[in-house]
Amino acid sequence: KGKESQNTPNGNESVQDKAVDAMEKSEHEIEQYFCKKPNLFKRKKMERQLPVGLFDEEKYGEKHAIFPAKHAAVDLWSVDEKFLYLYELKCPGNIPIGIFSELWFYSMFMNDVLREKFKAGQKQGKIEPHLKEIKSIGPKIIQSFFLVQRLHPALTYNKKDALNIVNSALEKAKFCIKFDMLEYELNFVIKDPK
């Protein structure tokens, strides 16, 4: 364990929520909708904006950031006794190829949080409620989902084969992380693309 520290949630709102860009606002609205409908994911509760920034000790801010910027967060998440579920949401029309590396990073980061490789986010010496909830429940496996209307064309060819290769490699390396994909339609119906 080093002296590094995770950033903390900023309530259920984040600085990203205040963006005026229409694409961000649409993603924000979709996140809020999914948080109100956890049954779509077969979950009791969905949360949003789980921070994934790493800072030098407990000094937050741009000049103390190790990676990434202080505003980085998992779009949606949920937790139960076995799994920490992470969802990287992309709104319609936003199909970046970087979604894979983004979710990979978030998953590896949260794996390190669960394994206590650095200090969980704290304010005034107290662990933040979201992080305290995750730690108290104690999930052992991270299940990460690409939550998209459609993927970048470079990622759509044999997407299930690609996910199987990644999951197999993670299992062989003894990482407790699994990746999958969920697609949604504009009417917010979740469908399993299998």
Side-chain angles (χ1 to χ4, degrees):
K1 277 188 196 180
K3 293 183 179 180
E4 297 84 12
S5 180
Q6 176 189 14
N7 61 328
T8 58
N10 188 9
N12 207 20
E13 294 262 323
S14 77
V15 175
Q16 290 175 326
D17 297 338
K18 296 177 176 81
V20 293
D21 181 79
M23 195 64 82
E24 287 291 323
K25 187 171 180 344
S26 296
E27 190 169 295
H28 172 82
E29 290 171 348
I30 295 168
E31 287 174 6
Q32 288 184 318
Y33 178 84
F34 285 145
C35 283
K36 292 175 185 172
K37 304 280 187 182
N39 59 320
L40 292 173
F41 300 90
K42 299 177 184 160
R43 308 278 174 262
K44 293 179 184 175
K45 178 170 82 168
M46 292 289 288
E47 299 284 349
R48 51 185 297 279
Q49 299 298 312
L50 180 64
V52 289
L54 190 65
F55 294 82
D56 183 23
E57 298 183 15
E58 290 184 28
K59 300 171 187 166
Y60 303 111
E62 298 283 332
K63 69 180 185 176
H64 299 286
I66 296 171
F67 60 75
K70 64 180 179 180
H71 305 221
V74 177
D75 292 323
L76 295 163
W77 64 278
S78 186
V79 65
D80 64 29
E81 295 76 23
K82 188 173 180 182
F83 293 99
L84 171 59
Y85 302 95
L86 306 177
Y87 301 86
E88 180 54 30
L89 172 69
K90 294 299 174 200
C91 56
N94 184 8
I95 54 170
I97 196 163
I99 188 174
F100 185 84
S101 59
E102 189 174 6
L103 188 57
W104 177 274
F105 172 80
Y106 294 164
S107 302
M108 292 297 177
F109 181 90
M110 290 309 299
N111 183 65
D112 285 350
V113 169
L114 293 179
R115 308 292 172 265
E116 298 183 344
K117 293 196 175 182
F118 42 79
K119 197 176 198 179
Q122 296 187 14
K123 279 189 181 171
Q124 300 166 344
K126 295 181 181 177
I127 294 179
E128 285 294 318
H130 293 92
L131 301 171
K132 191 173 185 177
E133 176 185 8
I134 291 169
K135 290 176 95 39
S136 70
I137 292 173
K140 304 294 182 225
I141 301 170
I142 295 174
Q143 178 68 63
S144 299
F145 293 95
F146 301 100
L147 183 56
V148 297
Q149 188 176 40
R150 64 187 178 109
L151 284 171
H152 188 280
L155 299 173
T156 58
Y157 181 73
N158 288 334
K159 60 188 162 198
K160 283 298 173 185
D161 288 343
L163 288 172
N164 288 337
I165 290 168
V166 168
N167 287 331
S168 178
L170 286 167
E171 187 176 337
K172 285 179 186 174
K174 303 204 184 305
F175 277 95
C176 295
I177 301 171
K178 296 179 181 179
F179 287 89
D180 207 344
M181 186 179 73
L182 294 172
E183 295 175 315
Y184 70 92
E185 297 173 5
L186 284 176
N187 60 2
F188 297 109
V189 172
I190 300 290
K191 60 181 183 176
D192 189 341
K194 292 177 186 167

